Amino acid sequence: MQNVMDLKFSAQSQNESFARVTVGAFIAQLDPTMDEMTEIKTVVSEAVTNAIIHGYQNQADGMVYIHCTLENGTIELTIRDEGMGIQDIEEARQPLFTTKPELERSGMGFTIMENFMDELQVVSEPMIGTTVYLKKTLTNSKAMCN
């Protein structure tokens, strides 16, 4: 059986923890391991932070959208903004690449997302926005039964 959640919030840095906790609470029903929960909450933080800092350039008037689907122990997340977009997705996905070195950004966001999830897809168009698709199947057998 499929379960779906949609979330929309202002692109303000203080909402990053809200998004992380909300997604964590929603996926808890699948009984993920502590490591799985931590990894999913981390990728939510990374994607939301990217939307706020890079997509909206820290302008709080933008919105961040999260869509989460749970089905048969698999979590599918879509995190989207309507901000600046990414000029070169392949370059942005390179470890240590950042467009904001003055903010002491590590440039590891996409690398972390890729390592913690089973699938990562980034779709972006300059001045239209960016959508990050993430997918992970939990290892917990109880989650597979739901």
Side-chain angles (χ1 to χ4, degrees), residues 51-63:
I52 294 168
I53 291 175
H54 300 288
Y56 291 117
Q57 309 284 310
N58 282 318
Q59 300 298 313
D61 57 346
M63 299 300 285

Side-chain angles (χ1 to χ4, degrees), residues 5-142:
M5 174 194 75
D6 283 300
L7 189 61
K8 173 182 170 182
F9 54 91
S10 297
Q12 298 178 35
S13 60
Q14 61 266 35
N15 286 338
E16 176 271 325
S17 60
F18 164 72
R20 177 184 172 97
V21 169
T22 304
V23 171
F26 185 67
I27 68 166
Q29 62 192 285
L30 295 183
D31 196 25
T33 66
M34 195 61 103
D35 284 344
E36 289 168 334
M37 178 66 85
T38 299
E39 290 171 354
I40 291 164
K41 288 166 72 174
T42 299
V43 301
V44 169
S45 293
E46 292 291 338
V48 168
T49 297
N50 280 353
I52 294 168
I53 291 175
H54 300 288
Y56 291 117
Q57 309 284 310
N58 282 318
Q59 300 298 313
D61 57 346
M63 299 300 285
V64 178
Y65 305 86
I66 298 179
H67 177 80
C68 185
T69 302
L70 309 179
E71 187 169 21
N72 298 324
T74 297
I75 298 162
E76 292 186 29
L77 278 166
T78 304
I79 301 171
R80 179 175 67 85
D81 67 65
E82 297 168 334
M84 301 291 295
I86 301 171
Q87 291 288 336
D88 185 339
I89 294 171
E90 289 309 311
E91 180 181 43
R93 288 184 65 165
Q94 294 302 309
L96 305 177
F97 176 80
T98 182
T99 59
K100 302 282 185 193
E102 70 279 6
L103 298 179
E104 298 181 17
R105 308 299 304 163
S106 70
M108 294 298 288
F110 286 129
T111 302
I112 290 167
M113 290 181 231
E114 193 168 37
N115 286 329
F116 285 174
M117 302 300 282
D118 297 332
E119 294 179 29
L120 166 67
Q121 182 182 5
V122 182
V123 176
S124 189
E125 192 170 333
M127 305 315 294
I128 301 292
T130 300
T131 302
V132 177
Y133 300 96
L134 302 153
K135 186 174 182 178
K136 184 174 188 75
T137 299
L138 302 181
T139 57
N140 186 326
S141 59
K142 180 179 175 187

